[in-house]
Amino acid sequence: MTDGATDADRLRAALEPFYTAVEGVLIGQRRLLDRLLIGLLTDGHVLLEGVPGLAKTLAVRTVARALDLSFKRVQFTPDLLPADVIGTQIYNPRTGEFTVKQGPVFANVVLADEINRAPAKVQSALLEAMAERQVTIGDSSLELPRPFFVLATQNPVEQEGTYPLPEAQVDRFMLKVLIDYPGRADELAILDRMGGVDSSTDLSPVLSAPQLEGLRRAADAVYVDAKVKGYLLDVVRATRHPAEYGLDLAGLIQLGASPRATISLHRAAKAHALLAGRNYVAPEDVKAMAPDVLRHRLVVSFEAEAEDLRPDHLVKQVLDRLPVP
């Protein structure tokens, strides 16, 4: 176990230049940065939710630049068309043939900004890309670049003119991360750095694609003990059958988390352990990642809404009451 721990420490140390570079631009958002890295290390898409002005777009753009990955941003609006996202076929009258014009989805990191402002037809255009890492244009299926990540943002306010994401698409996001206001000291640092007219920061890549791939393999190799794996499984299953675990949540959860949530929590816990410098998963890793993995996959009942009980409250009850191995 010692050699493995040393190796995990070495891999974690390799991320220090990345943290230093990104935090030179993004202030007071270490938790958000960790979650974005976990998504990148586990081949998972991430949904960011927070009020305007919390640097969601800046965070995604900065991470992509630090990792030397191609980056495209799509501003979702009510008049957006699927072709504006995935691309379309263009007819050439000279040759009488169609050629494919690729859309902005053909990038390593795709920022779907305010994804809930586009109708379902456009949102569903991303489903194939997120699930299969390919898109179909006409009668051609085109592979997307690897790695491929969709990092989407949405605002919890100003719901007029928005279109709720369908459950099938929400479930494709590995994590849903809630972003809160920075602390006073962090906001003062933001003011000092970004308060001028020229607040641009030049950021050079600090982590190459081969290094990222090595870290992804290391995260996949993190050890999960059978007892921890059973605990992880119970956390997810308790959202479906709370009575079996002695939880008084009857009537509060209309739809529990799917087996895809179990897989996502397993991968996320392993990446979280790696970022902590460990080559094994502890129950604390499962507890840390469970809210981000489960909050968007639970459908609460009308009774829960009437009592102002959100998915986070229900996940916390599950984590507080289930015995930890």
Side-chain angles (χ1 to χ4, degrees), residues 48 54 93 124 145 170 173 175 185 193-194 268 298:
L48 308 178
L54 295 182
S124 62
V170 169
F173 286 100
L175 306 175
R193 186 171 302 171
M194 311 292 288
L298 299 186

Side-chain angles (χ1 to χ4, degrees), residues 86-89 100 136-141:
I86 65 173
T88 187
Q89 288 183 319
V100 173
T136 302
I137 302 176
D139 56 357
S140 301
S141 294

Side-chain angles (χ1 to χ4, degrees), residues 173-237:
F173 286 100
M174 181 179 187
L175 306 175
K176 180 180 179 181
V177 182
L178 304 183
I179 307 175
D180 204 354
Y181 292 108
R184 189 179 189 279
D186 289 331
E187 194 162 0
L188 182 60
I190 293 171
L191 183 62
D192 290 339
R193 186 171 302 171
M194 311 292 288
V197 175
D198 184 11
S199 58
S200 60
T201 303
D202 187 22
L203 180 64
S204 300
V206 293
L207 203 63
S208 65
Q211 288 176 306
L212 178 62
E213 182 59 31
L215 287 166
R216 293 176 70 184
R217 289 195 298 267
D220 192 48
V222 169
Y223 173 73
V224 185
D225 185 79
K227 291 182 179 179
V228 177
K229 194 176 295 185
Y231 172 66
L232 182 154
L233 184 62
D234 287 339
V235 168
V236 179
R237 290 184 58 83

Side-chain angles (χ1 to χ4, degrees), residues 95-124:
T95 62
E97 297 178 346
F98 286 93
T99 57
V100 173
K101 180 183 179 182
Q102 296 181 350
V105 76
F106 285 87
N108 296 123
V109 178
V110 177
L111 171 59
D113 213 0
E114 295 191 281
I115 189 173
N116 58 334
R117 294 207 173 275
K121 182 186 294 186
V122 180
Q123 294 173 6
S124 62

Side-chain angles (χ1 to χ4, degrees), residues 264-276:
S264 295
L265 184 55
H266 184 253
R267 293 177 179 173
K270 292 200 291 184
H272 188 272
L274 182 68
L275 293 186

